[in-house]
Amino acid sequence: MTTTPSATTVRDVAASAHDLVKVYGHDEAEVRALDGVSIDLYAGEFTAVMGPSGSGKSTLMHCMAALDTPTSGEASVGGTTLGSLRDKELTRLRREKIGFVFQAFNLIPTLTAQENITLPLSLAGRDPEPEWFDRVIDAVGLRSRLAHKPSEMSGGQQQRAACARALVSRPAIVFADEPTGNLDSTSSAEVMGFLRRSVDEFGQTIVMVTHDPVAAAWTDRVVFLADGRIVEELRNPDRDSILATMARLTPQVG
Ligand SMILES: Nc1ncnc2c1ncn2[C@@H]1O[C@H](COP(=O)(O)OP(=O)(O)OP(=O)(O)O)[C@@H](O)[C@H]1O
Ligand SMILES: [Mg+2]
């Protein structure tokens, strides 16, 4: 008798949000950036977050990645509820459990690629595991660029270095906010290919904000935000289903 892998297999949750609300400002200036967002991000899965400018994507990432605190609701990473932690414990959790990739690569100009990639480990007083470091470097294809400064690397190479930096500490989850936002389509495909491979080959969990349907098509799941709420979700997306959903969710003018 054969057993089929079942779609109902219980998956580990790498990070979750429960009824997150984030309000900025007061009175007339009040903005409800998140208006009750609940989501589970599954381990070993690549999730994209899409939605119009101002819909709350970055705010959601920041609240889930312990970079900002919600007005109410709860976020947790690797089973740890963020609201229960003191500042010191939050710093440690960010260092040990979370990888970050931003649109502006945030590489330190005076450090080499290798030094940039291992910086979070150095800050935590840890040495890279040599075997893991090698796998990550080969996966990002930066072996021949390790001694280069960011100014000596292309945009795609710099962003791949930023991805390697996020992965080298083996975080429970990587949060990426528009990681391909500054890249041309070739560099964007390089970075997406690497992120996809790190999910498939290393079991990495990644959540990524993007405006680009081509980038989102590399993921397993696309969650759409509008006005601080989750309004739609696609599984096994492709470019056309993403475009169709974006069109459906865009308010028609006139
Ligand atoms: N620090 C802040 N103070 C006041 N309002 C803020 C602040 N940060 C974000 N907002 C507001 O919260 C809402 C959501 O912002 P957020 O940055 O999460 O949007 P986004 O979906 O990431 O947009 P984009 O696609 O343009 O990056 C917006 O209306 C924004 O103006
Ligand atoms: Mg944003």
Side-chain angles (χ1 to χ4, degrees), residues 197-210:
R197 239 178 308 136
S198 67
V199 171
D200 294 339
E201 293 174 18
F202 311 151
Q204 182 64 58
T205 309
I206 303 178
V207 55
M208 164 188 83
V209 171
T210 185

Side-chain angles (χ1 to χ4, degrees), residues 55 60 62 75 93 95 106 131 133 136-137 143 156 167 172 188 196 214 236:
S55 57
L60 177 63
H62 292 163
L93 175 121
R95 264 189 203 151
N106 291 318
E131 258 177 49
F133 178 82
V136 170
I137 293 308
R143 169 107 17 228
L167 283 164
S188 176
R196 180 72 250 173
V214 175
N236 305 314

